[in-house]
Amino acid sequence: MDSKDIRRKFLDFFKKQDHKVVPSDSLIPSGDPTLLFTSAGMVQFKNHFLGQSKDTFKRAASCQKCFRTSDIDQVGYTRRHLTFFEMLGNFSFGDYFKKDAIGWGWEFLTKTIGLPKDKLYATIYKDDEEAFKIWEKIVPKSKITRLGEDSNFWNMGPTGPCGPCSEILMDMGEKLGCGKASCGPGCDCDRYLEVWNLVFTQFDRQENGELKPLPRKNIDTGMGLERLVSASLGKETVFETDLFKPIIKEVLNIFETSGVSRDAKKSVSELRMIADHSRAITFLISDGILPSNEGRGYVLRRILRRALRQGKMFGLSEPFLYKVTAQVSEIMKDAYPELDERRENIASIVKMEEENFLVTLESGSKLLEEIIEKFGNKKTIPGQEVFKLYDTYGFPHELTKEIAGEKGLKIDEEGFIAAQKRAQEKSRAAWSGSGEKDMTLYSKIQKDVGEIKFTGYENAGVSGVDVLAIISDGKSKPSLKSNETGEIVLKQTPFYAESGGQVGDTGKLKSGSIAIDVIDTRKPVEGLVVHKVKVTKGELKVGQKIDAVVDMERRKKIMSHHTATHLLHKALRTILGTHVTQAGSLVTPDYFRFDFTHLRALEQKELQAVEEMVNKAIRDNLSVCIAHKNIEDARKQGAMALFGEKYSETVRVVSINEPSDEKHLSMELCGGTHVSKTGDIGFFKIIAESSIASGTRRIEAVVGEAAEKYVRKLERVLDDCSFKLKGSVSDLPERIDKIVTKQKEMEKEIRQLKSAVATGGGKSDILNDLKEVNGVKVLATKLSSIDIKSLRNVVDEMRTKLGSGIVILATDEDEKLSFVVSITGDLVKSGYNAGKIAKNIAAQVGGSGGGKPDFAQGGGKEVSKFSNIIKNLSEIIK
């Protein structure tokens, strides 16, 4: 059996045991916003374990995408550690307990998968007699090992839900053992492989340490698919399975065709690391995570750079991981179809990041070599130097640590952290979740009142609706009085709650003498809609009936902007290519912004083509149709889904039909509100296009009345410019060209005058500062009121006048020092180097510098220290 067979057999097995098979959650956790990544199968079921979910099923099974970096340094160097892996799990929420969990686990492994019973062992928590009695009916007592709390007892935290664990281990053979007499189940060596971990959540730990039985006991199990596949095939490592072998083969092919200088086949650990990291990179980007310098994006960037550096160490100086991600998508596309849909986009993002880092690696590596040489005798690189590499060159401090370690050096971690704090930089360790509020109260209310029905697709208002709950200052309240603000829950609502990028509705609530403004509408937990309100008249109480009316003028503007995002998405994919995928949006009544994957800025002609295509679709007055479909059927019909979004089995599909109605211009999975005809949008205008992240662009646009206002504003600007330049609008380009040309001529004249003054055309001659240092003519001085371009001209002129010598000239603008170093050819041949001199100067003035042997430049913040450089030229130029 290969991985596909085992993944399918696991889910089928538990489906037969009345488990709800739940699709994998995104690697961006939907069940716990405080987590950086989904790291276990139970994460998406957090509310189920807490009894706060609206789902009715009590049994679930899943194959969950997981990502962890806790063992990143061991990945590739051990037989089993990975960053990305799939976790098979079955779960019980107050339903079955130990007997069934253990029994089904044993049955699946021995009968369905066919693992040899004689090689399987069980571990239990030392005091778990219940688990022992169950296991002794299945295996001999000699195969049951009692272990302590450190390995076989799960805790959510210092207090709260917890419980004992039972692990199923497989003996992989003596040759993988440590050779110690004490070697057995529980040993840290590779002989006894943990296949499945069964967690029995049955206690509530009190502050005094007491374990109180939970009234509702849960089961949470986890089994790594990669480990199970390797165990079923009798392989010693997970890297010898169909999940990794094709990836490693692809890496080898790339290396061999590129003619790398090192024998890749002998570098097993490095190849395994690249394969693992390539899988992680592919899945992280597929779930909407993009490389950046903070949070999830920073972790993605870190592992991508680790893998790329391995390629560099093999002798490969060009991007290659983007090719490997295509192989990952090919292997995993059956289980995760979105990988195939996003294959091209994933590759383009990875390639751009690789190209950027190879430039960084080149410049940063040279500086790191100098730092290692400088501090080699001290055996520790100062934290400030490490941070400078990160801050200036984007060189990850982990990579600096790794390279320094290879040279026998350590880095000053505390100093690095201190420098980072001083610069107020964010690091991945500072991640504290999505900033979301405690949802416990909302979850309780949702459980009490049930799912709130949204009627706003069909109706702009609803009469006589019950007020189910009132919230103020984070607490449930019986009422809200005049001028008080709070949140209310209605039995049903026409107000759209903010989601999918579309802002929430506003409007009015009325009942007799009561008048209330609805300021915003949101959905704090699934199934619950809350309305942020201010009472303007009367007193609102729980249990009252009230009329709800949406501000439809505002809603119509939002609908127009939202439908326009779908037309824009289609236009971008048509004009730029199908690699374009939506990466986020914000839809308001006044404008919308649309984030999408693309490697470069759009040219003016491309923006114009996009506008023309969208406006044509608007003029064609196409039908906008809504349908509810099975998600698989919708995908097969070509419906677009958002990156990282989790969908239910039945989805809402928004289609914009061609004039013939026989095919779709656009089809997307979307829960937002839309116009019924594209002609209702009116007019579309792009107002901005920019970059928001590596490989991600943003377009801001307006439609309808907002677009008209924007165009009128542009017309006023043009009229104003025409008036000031005393011409018509059509004359503006010509008149502006004349002004720009004249300004350039004047700037050139000014530079020439400044150069003349600086070189002796004025009252002083800078050659008066000429010195002889170690038998070499050195001209070093600081000039005032001269820009860097003029400074370079002066340096060239002075070098010519000297014939043989070194010229070091500086100037200060805006309290910053800029300097240029130039050396005549004869001295370059003698060993003098302008680039090294520039770095020496930069080190003194708190900046950076560098260049070629004959010419270099740099800058710094400490202007006053340049006078010390002039006094110590012998040290600077050596």
Side-chain angles (χ1 to χ4, degrees):
M1 289 184 286
D2 61 14
S3 59
K4 294 176 188 176
D5 296 326
I6 291 177
R7 190 188 292 113
R8 176 177 50 80
K9 285 179 178 291
F10 176 84
L11 297 176
D12 287 347
F13 177 88
F14 281 99
K15 188 175 183 180
K16 290 177 183 176
Q17 315 303 333
D18 298 323
H19 285 62
K20 171 73 173 177
V21 175
V22 180
S24 172
D25 195 9
S26 166
L27 288 172
I28 302 173
S30 63
D32 189 345
T34 64
L35 293 177
L36 198 57
F37 296 104
T38 299
S39 57
M42 61 81 65
V43 171
Q44 70 166 314
F45 298 114
K46 182 178 178 181
N47 288 335
H48 296 74
F49 284 120
L50 296 173
Q52 297 172 355
S53 173
K54 66 173 185 176
D55 292 325
T56 56
F57 58 82
K58 292 186 176 182
R59 300 179 178 187
S62 69
C63 178
Q64 174 63 51
K65 299 175 290 187
C66 297
F67 180 76
R68 298 176 184 173
T69 58
S70 52
D71 299 315
I72 193 169
D73 292 329
Q74 298 181 65
V75 171
Y77 297 95
T78 69
R79 291 178 169 85
R80 62 185 188 275
H81 286 105
L82 301 169
T83 56
F84 172 83
F85 58 96
E86 294 175 83
M87 185 175 284
L88 304 171
N90 58 291
F91 309 90
S92 168
F93 316 116
D95 189 21
Y96 65 85
F97 202 45
K98 294 180 186 179
K99 182 180 178 182
D100 288 328
I102 293 172
W104 284 331
W106 183 259
E107 180 184 346
F108 176 75
L109 290 179
T110 58
K111 293 184 179 179
T112 306
I113 302 300
L115 295 187
K117 295 179 181 180
D118 61 315
K119 291 188 176 182
L120 295 179
Y121 292 77
T123 70
I124 61 170
Y125 177 56
K126 59 185 179 67
D127 297 329
D128 192 350
E129 295 303 324
E130 183 183 0
F132 180 81
K133 288 178 181 177
I134 296 169
W135 272 117
E136 71 173 345
K137 295 177 182 177
I138 299 172
V139 298
K141 292 181 182 180
S142 60
K143 287 198 167 189
I144 306 171
T145 303
R146 295 177 185 264
L147 296 174
E149 190 166 343
D150 57 334
S151 64
N152 277 54
F153 198 94
W154 176 82
N155 294 284
M156 181 178 283
T159 60
C162 58
C165 309
S166 179
E167 297 174 337
I168 302 175
L169 312 178
M170 182 167 172
D171 184 357
M172 303 300 289
E174 286 186 30
K175 61 181 177 178
L176 297 184
C178 57
K180 297 177 183 177
S182 60
C183 185
C187 184
D188 289 334
C189 71
D190 288 328
R191 177 172 177 177
Y192 294 93
L193 178 71
E194 178 196 324
V195 178
W196 207 337
N197 187 22
L198 316 176
V199 179
F200 313 126
T201 313
Q202 64 185 97
F203 298 116
D204 183 6
R205 190 185 295 275
Q206 306 299 300
E207 289 188 3
N208 62 2
E210 181 186 356
L211 297 178
K212 286 190 174 181
L214 283 170
R216 201 176 111 112
K217 297 177 174 62
N218 300 317
I219 290 292
D220 162 23
T221 83
M223 172 167 54
L225 173 65
E226 295 80 2
R227 291 191 185 188
L228 180 57
V229 175
S230 66
S232 70
L233 297 173
K235 301 296 184 182
E236 293 183 1
T237 78
V238 296
F239 300 102
E240 297 173 79
T241 66
D242 64 305
L243 290 165
F244 286 93
K245 286 174 72 175
I247 302 173
I248 294 172
K249 183 179 179 182
E250 176 69 11
V251 176
L252 281 170
N253 287 339
I254 293 170
F255 285 179
E256 288 171 4
T257 55
S258 301
V260 297
S261 58
R262 183 170 148 198
D263 187 353
K265 290 181 179 178
K266 294 180 181 178
S267 305
V268 176
S269 298
E270 290 81 359
L271 287 172
R272 290 173 175 176
M273 180 203 294
I274 292 171
D276 167 80
H277 286 15
S278 296
R279 286 181 6 126
I281 292 162
T282 305
F283 276 91
L284 288 169
I285 294 176
S286 176
D287 279 356
I289 299 166
L290 297 170
S292 70
N293 282 332
E294 59 185 39
R296 299 181 179 105
Y298 175 75
V299 180
L300 167 60
R301 174 166 282 171
R302 177 189 173 192
I303 64 165
L304 192 153
R305 291 180 170 186
R306 286 184 94 240
L308 183 59
R309 181 173 172 264
Q310 290 301 323
K312 180 79 171 174
M313 292 176 71
F314 277 111
L316 193 62
S317 297
E318 60 188 37
F320 73 95
L321 291 172
Y322 75 97
K323 299 176 184 177
V324 185
T325 62
Q327 182 63 45
V328 175
S329 298
E330 183 64 28
I331 294 169
M332 307 295 282
K333 67 181 182 181
D334 290 342
Y336 305 98
E338 67 273 13
L339 291 179
D340 201 36
E341 296 169 11
R342 299 164 184 166
R343 182 189 304 219
E344 187 179 345
N345 176 62
I346 293 167
S348 63
I349 291 171
V350 172
K351 187 178 182 183
M352 173 177 274
E353 183 68 14
E354 288 186 274
E355 290 170 341
N356 291 341
F357 184 56
L358 284 170
V359 175
T360 295
L361 195 60
E362 192 66 31
S363 55
S365 294
K366 287 180 180 177
L367 185 56
L368 180 55
E369 284 173 15
E370 293 176 12
I371 291 171
I372 289 173
E373 185 178 344
K374 183 178 178 181
F375 295 98
N377 294 333
K378 298 181 180 179
K379 297 295 182 183
T380 301
I381 299 176
Q384 181 63 43
E385 296 289 341
V386 178
F387 179 71
K388 181 181 174 183
L389 273 170
Y390 168 72
D391 192 36
T392 307
Y393 296 93
F395 211 74
H397 108 277
E398 295 89 353
L399 192 52
T400 302
K401 181 179 180 180
E402 206 169 294
I403 296 172
E406 292 166 2
K407 302 289 185 181
L409 276 74
K410 296 180 180 180
I411 68 169
D412 174 16
E413 295 279 4
E414 292 183 5
F416 171 77
I417 293 169
Q420 196 174 39
K421 286 182 179 178
R422 283 196 299 271
Q424 297 181 335
E425 289 288 335
K426 294 179 181 179
S427 72
R428 65 187 180 91
W431 176 268
S432 57
S434 305
E436 299 185 17
K437 297 178 181 177
D438 182 7
M439 298 299 164
T440 305
L441 176 60
Y442 296 112
S443 297
K444 182 179 182 303
I445 291 173
Q446 193 280 321
K447 190 177 179 182
D448 291 341
V449 304
E451 187 167 3
I452 306 303
K453 183 181 179 182
F454 173 62
T455 61
Y457 290 135
E458 304 85 14
N459 303 301
V462 61
S463 301
V465 62
D466 293 331
V467 178
L468 301 181
I470 296 175
I471 305 163
S472 181
D473 297 325
K475 299 177 182 177
S476 290
K477 297 287 181 70
S479 65
L480 278 179
K481 297 179 181 179
S482 183
N483 292 322
E484 288 185 340
T485 60
E487 295 173 316
I488 69 168
V489 178
L490 303 176
K491 189 170 185 178
Q492 57 180 305
T493 179
F495 292 89
Y496 182 86
E498 179 179 356
S499 62
Q502 179 176 323
V503 296
D505 279 336
T506 62
K508 302 284 185 181
L509 300 176
K510 299 176 182 178
S511 178
S513 61
I514 302 171
I516 299 167
D517 289 337
V518 177
I519 303 164
D520 192 13
T521 311
R522 63 192 189 94
K523 193 184 293 183
V525 296
E526 191 62 32
L528 184 72
V529 176
V530 299
H531 309 76
K532 186 177 180 181
V533 300
K534 181 177 181 180
V535 180
T536 57
K537 182 182 176 184
E539 181 180 3
L540 179 70
K541 296 180 180 179
V542 173
Q544 285 182 323
K545 292 185 181 294
I546 202 158
D547 299 337
V549 181
V550 174
D551 180 347
M552 280 308 294
E553 284 303 309
R554 180 177 179 273
R555 164 83 81 81
K556 285 177 182 178
K557 293 176 182 178
I558 294 172
M559 290 161 62
S560 294
H561 279 102
H562 199 153
T563 305
T565 66
H566 289 220
L567 293 176
L568 174 61
H569 194 186
K570 173 62 178 179
L572 290 169
R573 287 174 62 84
T574 301
I575 292 160
L576 302 180
T578 54
H579 65 279
V580 170
T581 309
Q582 182 175 346
S585 67
L586 173 67
V587 180
T588 79
D590 304 314
Y591 80 105
F592 75 80
R593 68 178 188 227
F594 185 87
D595 301 338
F596 60 99
T597 54
H598 191 56
L599 295 177
R600 57 172 177 79
L602 274 68
E603 297 175 8
Q604 191 59 41
K605 63 181 181 181
E606 290 172 326
L607 290 170
Q608 185 176 331
V610 168
E611 282 189 346
E612 289 173 355
M613 184 173 174
V614 173
N615 279 312
K616 183 181 184 305
I618 292 171
R619 289 193 302 273
D620 288 343
N621 200 26
L622 306 175
S623 298
V624 181
C625 304
I626 309 296
H628 291 84
K629 300 182 180 183
N630 175 273
I631 188 166
E632 292 305 319
D633 293 338
R635 284 183 185 276
K636 288 174 184 176
Q637 292 170 22
M640 294 287 295
L642 290 185
F643 258 40
E645 195 76 16
K646 187 179 181 184
Y647 296 97
S648 58
E649 290 182 12
T650 302
V651 292
R652 186 171 182 264
V653 181
V654 177
S655 303
I656 301 174
N657 296 343
E658 295 279 17
S660 64
D661 279 342
E662 292 179 0
K663 61 178 183 177
H664 305 298
L665 176 71
S666 165
M667 180 188 281
E668 298 192 20
L669 307 184
C670 180
T673 58
H674 292 270
V675 297
S676 58
K677 290 276 191 176
T678 58
D680 296 341
I681 296 170
F683 170 53
F684 168 84
K685 182 65 182 171
I686 294 173
I687 61 176
E689 192 272 341
S690 60
S691 171
I692 60 167
S694 177
T696 308
R697 310 295 300 178
R698 170 174 290 171
I699 280 179
E700 295 178 51
V702 286
V703 303
E705 185 181 342
E708 292 173 11
K709 288 179 179 178
Y710 176 75
V711 170
R712 281 198 293 270
K713 181 180 176 182
L714 291 181
E715 288 176 340
R716 285 195 297 271
V717 171
L718 288 171
D719 290 340
D720 188 38
C721 290
S722 300
F723 176 76
K724 289 179 179 178
L725 295 176
K726 296 181 174 62
S728 66
V729 171
S730 60
D731 292 335
L732 281 178
E734 184 181 349
R735 289 180 178 269
I736 290 171
D737 283 343
K738 288 180 179 178
I739 291 171
V740 171
T741 301
K742 189 173 182 180
Q743 183 179 345
K744 286 180 178 178
E745 290 172 353
M746 293 171 66
E747 288 174 350
K748 185 178 180 180
E749 266 186 67
I750 291 169
R751 281 197 302 272
Q752 288 172 344
L753 288 169
K754 284 183 176 180
S755 295
V757 171
T759 57
K763 294 180 181 179
S764 63
D765 191 334
I766 61 172
L767 286 172
N768 292 334
D769 294 317
L770 183 64
K771 297 178 181 179
E772 187 171 303
V773 181
N774 300 331
V776 175
K777 287 186 286 185
V778 180
L779 174 60
T781 189
K782 182 162 72 72
L783 305 177
S784 301
S785 303
I786 185 169
D787 58 71
I788 188 66
K789 194 170 182 179
S790 299
L791 189 69
R792 284 196 289 264
N793 292 336
V794 175
V795 166
D796 290 341
E797 191 172 339
M798 290 299 101
R799 184 176 62 177
T800 302
K801 281 187 178 184
L802 291 182
S804 173
I806 299 172
V807 181
I808 303 171
L809 297 185
T811 185
D812 56 310
E813 285 186 306
D814 300 324
E815 299 182 356
K816 291 182 181 179
L817 184 80
S818 297
F819 61 85
V820 178
V821 182
S822 185
I823 303 177
T824 54
D826 60 319
L827 294 180
V828 171
K829 291 178 181 178
S830 299
Y832 288 95
N833 188 301
K836 287 186 176 180
I837 293 173
K839 287 179 180 178
N840 290 339
I841 296 172
Q844 299 292 321
V845 297
S848 60
K852 299 177 181 179
D854 63 334
F855 184 88
Q857 61 187 44
K861 299 176 183 177
E862 301 178 47
V863 179
S864 61
K865 290 191 176 181
F866 190 75
S867 57
N868 294 331
I869 289 166
I870 296 173
K871 294 175 184 177
N872 298 290
L873 287 172
S874 60
E875 290 295 317
I876 295 296
I877 68 171
K878 68 178 183 180

